[in-house]
Amino acid sequence: MNAKFAIVVSEFNQTITDKLLEGAVSRLHQCGFSSDQIKILKVPGAVEIPLTAKLLAASKKYDVIICLGAVIRGDTSHYDYVCQQVSQGCQQVMLEFNLPVIFGVLTTENEVQAEDRVGGKEGHKGVEAADTAIHMLNLVKSLADEMI
């Protein structure tokens, strides 16, 4: 399939986000997509994900954007603000540009929960984000074909 994926990944909590990225890219390759079809952009933290996704969407070069990050609760309310900003920002980009923006940002209480979600007992959320991206890519294409 001729499709272009953009993956925006946060460098904060890098031991987790590297695994998310590895899982997503690996799944896309397993499904037949080449490295030439996948653009990876790294941002400092989760809050920077929505702006980067918006700039990618505005470029009209990508069929789907996968957003990956890990927000792990700390001792302050910062966690709540970050989670809200990132989730709302990604949704806003998706609705503004009619483009699948996949929310693969972990929001966990602790590092153990995060590790469980990158190949542990809770599966692999990077792989799931890629699966969701492919599903939405096909769905959007199908709907576009129906409208023609």
Side-chain angles (χ1 to χ4, degrees):
M1 178 184 290
N2 188 19
K4 294 285 281 184
F5 295 84
I7 301 176
V8 182
V9 60
S10 168
E11 292 182 309
F12 199 79
N13 291 317
Q14 191 169 5
T15 58
I16 301 297
T17 61
D18 281 351
K19 292 175 185 175
L20 285 169
L21 178 61
E22 180 182 313
V25 171
S26 177
R27 174 64 99 211
L28 291 174
H29 287 159
Q30 287 172 2
C31 292
F33 297 99
S34 71
S35 295
D36 291 341
Q37 293 175 278
I38 305 166
K39 170 97 173 162
I40 299 168
L41 292 103
K42 295 187 176 185
V43 296
V47 172
E48 290 78 29
I49 291 172
L51 173 60
T52 307
K54 183 176 181 177
L55 295 171
L56 289 164
S59 78
K60 300 185 188 281
K61 293 180 181 180
Y62 302 96
D63 300 293
V64 63
I65 299 168
I66 301 172
C67 298
L68 302 175
V71 184
I72 300 171
R73 187 178 296 279
D75 295 331
T76 68
S77 59
H78 182 73
Y79 169 89
D80 299 312
Y81 297 110
V82 171
C83 292
Q84 182 178 20
Q85 289 174 356
V86 178
S87 63
Q88 286 181 348
C90 289
Q91 181 183 41
Q92 182 179 343
V93 173
M94 180 168 39
L95 297 176
E96 181 179 339
F97 289 92
N98 293 327
L99 182 73
V101 176
I102 310 307
F103 189 74
V105 178
L106 300 181
T107 55
T108 63
E109 295 295 316
N110 54 56
E111 286 186 41
V112 172
Q113 288 180 350
E115 285 288 345
D116 284 346
R117 285 157 178 76
V118 289
K121 64 183 180 180
E122 298 295 331
H124 200 298
K125 301 306 177 186
V127 171
E128 291 177 23
D131 287 341
T132 301
I134 294 166
H135 184 104
M136 288 304 297
L137 177 70
N138 290 327
L139 178 65
V140 168
K141 182 178 178 354
S142 173
L143 289 171
D145 290 346
E146 285 182 24
M147 293 178 177
I148 293 176

